[in-house]
Amino acid sequence: MKWMKFRIKTVVEAEDIIISELYDRGLEGAQIEDKVPLSPLEKEQMFVDILPESEEDDGTAFLSFFVEEKEDGKLDLSGEETDRESVLLRIEEALADVRLFMDIGEGTVTVSETEDIDWINNWKQYFHQFYIDDLLVIPSWEEVKEEDRNKKILHIDPGTAFGTGMHETTRLCIGQIKKYVTPETEILDVGTGSGILSIIALMYGAEHAVGTDLDPCAVEAVTQNKEANGIPSGKFELLIGNIITEKEVQDTVGCECYDIVVANILADVLVPLTPVIERCLKPRGIYITSGIIEGKEELVADAMEAAGLTVLEVSALGEWRSVTGQKKR
């Protein structure tokens, strides 16, 4: 499938107005490129594993709109058949209207043709093999070097929604898992996503893992990653559902069954999750949390204390925090 890409060079202040004007003219789904730093809230809500280094913000912004190109060369603009010149004219008219009452910078438009394959593969340039302490994390499109073949290796590809280990929150969890895992460990991974934390726990000696996730897409992601890393099916089981609100999930997970529970989720979710996890832990069991932006670690620590857990440690990496607790009895 081919797409025509219309890319506008403008300024950050004009982004929303231009997008609104073009939406009214049938162009939807803008791709925004600017150098505005993420706010703490945005970082908390959007933590992702692949984030290229950002340059200093100079106020410049690029807005890209993609319009499907049919086999006959015509463009499909929100169900309307049109052509390149007509779409370009709509964009230029919208920019002229916005320019009447605000600065839009250059306001230039470039047009190019692209295909789905570009969107699917271009991001791979940002993900290469890397180490987490003694663990080598490597994607399927890279080869294991001869000198690394005897090392502990995690085979995992970035997906559209799940973790690979590059993000600070994941690294914090991995560090704590390695500290507490034993050959007898039963681990519960809440919000398992790609399954990376459970798989790593098993690689470092855990006996068995159970994961829960709200997203059905986790089933395929976990299945693929178990196969890539030689994890037997019975070693790592996955449940889809909300462990906080769904009794069926709670009953299936079980009570006082786990030596370690790990949850790499936002702080606002960890607070109501914690009393549920207290019931899942064995006596003296370890509760590892991450996904906590700096400044919210006390919320999670207080939730642990309120649920009858003892806070053992607060770890930091960049702007992120991990809080580890232990069940008292």
Side-chain angles (χ1 to χ4, degrees):
M1 183 181 295
K2 292 184 177 180
W3 302 79
M4 195 69 71
K5 177 181 178 181
F6 297 85
R7 191 169 188 252
I8 304 163
K9 185 175 184 180
T10 182
V11 293
V12 171
E13 291 76 11
E15 287 176 353
D16 292 341
I17 300 299
I18 293 174
I19 290 171
S20 178
E21 286 289 332
L22 290 176
Y23 182 89
D24 291 340
R25 289 168 167 82
L27 286 105
E28 303 176 359
Q31 179 189 70
I32 303 173
E33 302 169 72
D34 59 34
K35 301 167 188 174
V36 178
L38 295 176
S39 69
L41 179 59
E42 288 170 330
K43 289 178 180 178
E44 181 182 16
Q45 293 175 333
M46 297 172 60
F47 63 90
V48 293
D49 279 4
I50 305 173
L51 191 62
E53 289 294 325
S54 178
E55 301 174 18
E56 184 176 349
D57 181 22
D58 61 2
T60 303
F62 292 91
L63 306 177
S64 297
F65 296 84
F66 298 85
V67 182
E68 182 181 347
E69 183 178 3
K70 297 183 176 180
E71 292 183 2
D72 60 4
K74 293 292 186 180
L75 302 183
D76 183 358
L77 185 63
S78 300
E80 175 189 350
E81 190 173 274
T82 185
D83 55 33
R84 167 177 166 163
E85 288 71 25
S86 297
V87 174
L88 190 56
L89 179 61
R90 295 188 195 195
I91 294 173
E92 291 173 343
E93 288 176 345
L95 295 177
D97 286 348
V98 177
R99 200 189 291 273
L100 291 173
F101 60 88
M102 72 180 303
D103 176 29
I104 67 168
E106 286 190 18
T108 53
V109 185
T110 57
V111 184
S112 60
E113 194 174 69
T114 185
E115 298 184 17
D116 283 349
I117 191 68
D118 297 324
W119 299 352
I120 293 170
N121 291 313
N122 280 350
W123 54 267
K124 289 183 179 179
Q125 64 184 298
Y126 300 119
F127 186 74
H128 304 288
Q129 56 186 281
F130 62 97
Y131 274 99
I132 303 175
D133 298 326
D134 61 334
L135 175 68
L136 175 63
V137 182
I138 187 167
S140 61
W141 57 87
E142 291 194 357
E143 295 289 332
V144 178
K145 298 173 185 176
E146 188 61 36
E147 60 266 30
D148 291 330
R149 293 194 180 278
N150 293 326
K151 297 178 180 177
K152 204 176 290 290
I153 299 172
L154 174 69
H155 297 274
I156 194 165
D157 288 350
T160 56
F162 302 127
T164 61
M166 289 183 73
H167 198 275
E168 289 94 334
T169 60
T170 313
R171 289 173 178 262
L172 286 166
C173 286
I174 293 169
Q176 294 301 99
I177 288 172
K178 288 169 62 178
K179 183 182 295 186
Y180 293 105
V181 71
T182 73
E184 293 79 36
T185 293
E186 291 279 341
I187 186 168
L188 173 64
D189 180 5
V190 180
T192 195
S194 64
I196 180 173
L197 296 178
S198 290
I199 290 171
I200 288 175
L202 293 167
M203 291 175 65
Y204 280 94
E207 175 64 27
H208 181 255
V210 174
T212 71
D213 204 284
L214 299 176
D215 190 345
C217 292
V219 175
E220 182 177 357
V222 167
T223 299
Q224 290 176 351
N225 290 325
K226 284 198 299 184
E227 292 175 355
N229 291 281
I231 303 297
S233 181
K235 278 275 192 177
F236 180 8
E237 302 171 54
L238 176 63
L239 301 171
I240 297 299
N242 191 330
I243 194 172
I244 298 176
T245 60
E246 296 179 25
K247 188 175 185 302
E248 182 179 353
V249 176
Q250 295 173 3
D251 290 344
T252 304
V253 165
C255 182
E256 294 197 346
C257 296
Y258 301 94
D259 303 282
I260 297 175
V261 177
V262 60
N264 185 16
I265 311 177
L266 301 179
D268 291 342
V269 179
L270 290 170
V271 171
L273 173 66
T274 296
V276 177
I277 296 310
E278 191 276 338
R279 296 191 292 272
C280 297
L281 284 166
K282 294 179 181 178
R284 311 296 294 173
I286 300 296
Y287 181 31
I288 300 167
T289 66
S290 189
I292 307 163
I293 196 74
E294 181 181 6
K296 289 200 172 184
E297 59 269 29
E298 287 189 11
L299 286 175
V300 179
D302 289 345
M304 286 190 185
E305 295 286 358
L309 304 174
T310 299
V311 175
L312 299 179
E313 183 179 357
V314 178
S315 307
L317 194 55
E319 298 175 294
W320 299 94
R321 301 293 179 266
S322 167
V323 182
T324 300
Q326 185 174 37
K327 189 169 181 174
K328 295 179 180 178
R329 62 184 192 283

